[in-house]
Amino acid sequence: MPMSELLSDEVPEDLAGNRLDKIAANLFPRYSRARLQSLIKEGKLLVNGKESRAKDRLQSGDRIDVAVETQNIVEHRAERIPLNIVYEDEALLILNKEAGSVVHPAAGNRTGTLLNGLLHLIPELKAVPRAGIVHRLDKDTTGIMVVAKTIESHVSLVNQLKQRSIKRQYEAVVSGVLTGGGVVDVPIGRHPVHRKKQAVNEVGKEAITHYRVLDRYRSHTHVQLSLETGRTHQIRVHMTHINHRIVGDQLYGGRLQMPAASSPELTRILQNFKRQALHAKRLSLMHPKTGKQMSWEVETADDMRALLYALKCDHKMLD
């Protein structure tokens, strides 16, 4: 069963007259304002023993009591799963995720996920929401991820994501030859027909992706991408929207695009590349404990490097 942490405090004079959610965020800084708003809606945050609304304004001396669940993922099993750790300290963990690795348990993937492996590596993560996972990579996307090791770190990193101060840089191989960089700024929502897909949707959530060309080949482009927002499948949907689908994408990729008279090696690699050629290359953030700006970079996965090499050789063959 989940365990709860009971927190209590009185409204000081300097916060009197403010909204309940703002006051609670000041009194209990370990938790985000969004999470406290959810607790208010659930009736788990009381003012003078009574349920209140987030917008209610409080007076000096009002008492706030809140019960926060601290073990909300104990139902997930800890499993010994190899994890590629790039960096670790008392506040956070930086991982290099492999292709085929599911980040969080869901229907059809209850075990064998990165979360299960984290719980085995650091049992204390059972007290942190989602075992410290603050952002996800798709199953077949490789690269860098950050994991919070404490509730305080989790709150800090989630807030940095909301404020768009965490910088995430990706690399991808896309079909077609891009003439230059640009920005895709179109909202994304659930696909109206296909349950597993996202799509550009006028009533969807804001989604912004910046891209620039790293290298051009005969029928493909190696691109660098940066996210301002973090919608599900954002890069994959945005590149599809501008008609430059990611190579190997089994959900959004469409027909395989093969250069005319391509080399046997390139033909073989393209025909057998069965995941999206997308890699989370670089991550920058403010350390939640020290406040220092830090960044990490991980090498592109072997299969994607082989693809890039084959594209380069094929391109030179016809120069």
Side-chain angles (χ1 to χ4, degrees), residues 18-22 36-37 40-41 45-47 50-58:
N18 284 299
R19 290 169 51 111
L20 169 58
D21 54 356
K22 181 178 180 181
L36 290 165
Q37 286 172 335
I40 293 169
K41 288 181 181 179
L45 189 151
L46 305 178
V47 178
K50 298 179 180 179
E51 294 185 15
S52 298
R53 299 170 299 176
K55 65 180 182 180
D56 288 346
R57 298 188 179 274
L58 305 189

Side-chain angles (χ1 to χ4, degrees), residues 95-112:
L95 300 174
N96 185 5
K97 178 188 164 302
E98 297 181 352
S101 173
V102 176
V103 171
H104 194 277
N109 291 291
R110 293 297 181 188
T111 61

Side-chain angles (χ1 to χ4, degrees), residues 82-206:
L83 299 174
N84 186 351
I85 300 171
V86 176
Y87 172 86
E88 182 179 8
D89 61 25
E90 71 277 11
L92 53 79
L93 192 73
I94 303 295
L95 300 174
N96 185 5
K97 178 188 164 302
E98 297 181 352
S101 173
V102 176
V103 171
H104 194 277
N109 291 291
R110 293 297 181 188
T111 61
T113 71
L114 190 146
L115 183 145
N116 298 112
L118 286 169
L119 289 175
H120 181 273
L121 180 69
I122 309 171
E124 293 78 15
L125 286 176
K126 66 184 179 181
V128 183
R130 297 184 181 275
I133 295 170
V134 296
H135 68 111
R136 303 189 192 188
L137 295 177
D138 295 334
K139 175 183 176 182
D140 288 322
T141 298
T142 59
I144 199 162
M145 286 183 60
V146 61
V147 175
K149 291 178 66 175
T150 66
I151 290 177
E152 292 84 355
S153 294
H154 190 270
V155 170
S156 171
L157 293 172
V158 167
N159 285 335
Q160 288 183 58
L161 277 173
K162 289 179 180 177
Q163 295 161 8
R164 303 183 183 180
S165 59
I166 290 182
K167 304 302 179 186
R168 291 168 288 169
Q169 192 178 91
Y170 293 72
E171 289 187 11
V173 180
V174 301
S175 298
V177 181
L178 281 159
T179 57
V183 180
V184 186
D185 183 356
V186 289
I188 290 175
R190 188 174 293 281
H191 195 284
V193 178
H194 302 286
R195 185 178 61 84
K196 292 183 177 181
K197 296 178 73 171
Q198 301 292 306
V200 169
N201 188 328
E202 289 184 359
V203 296
K205 295 181 178 179
E206 180 187 31

Side-chain angles (χ1 to χ4, degrees), residues 305-316:
R305 281 188 290 148
L307 170 62
L308 288 166
Y309 181 73
L311 286 167
K312 188 174 295 185
C313 292
D314 175 82
H315 189 66
K316 288 180 177 178

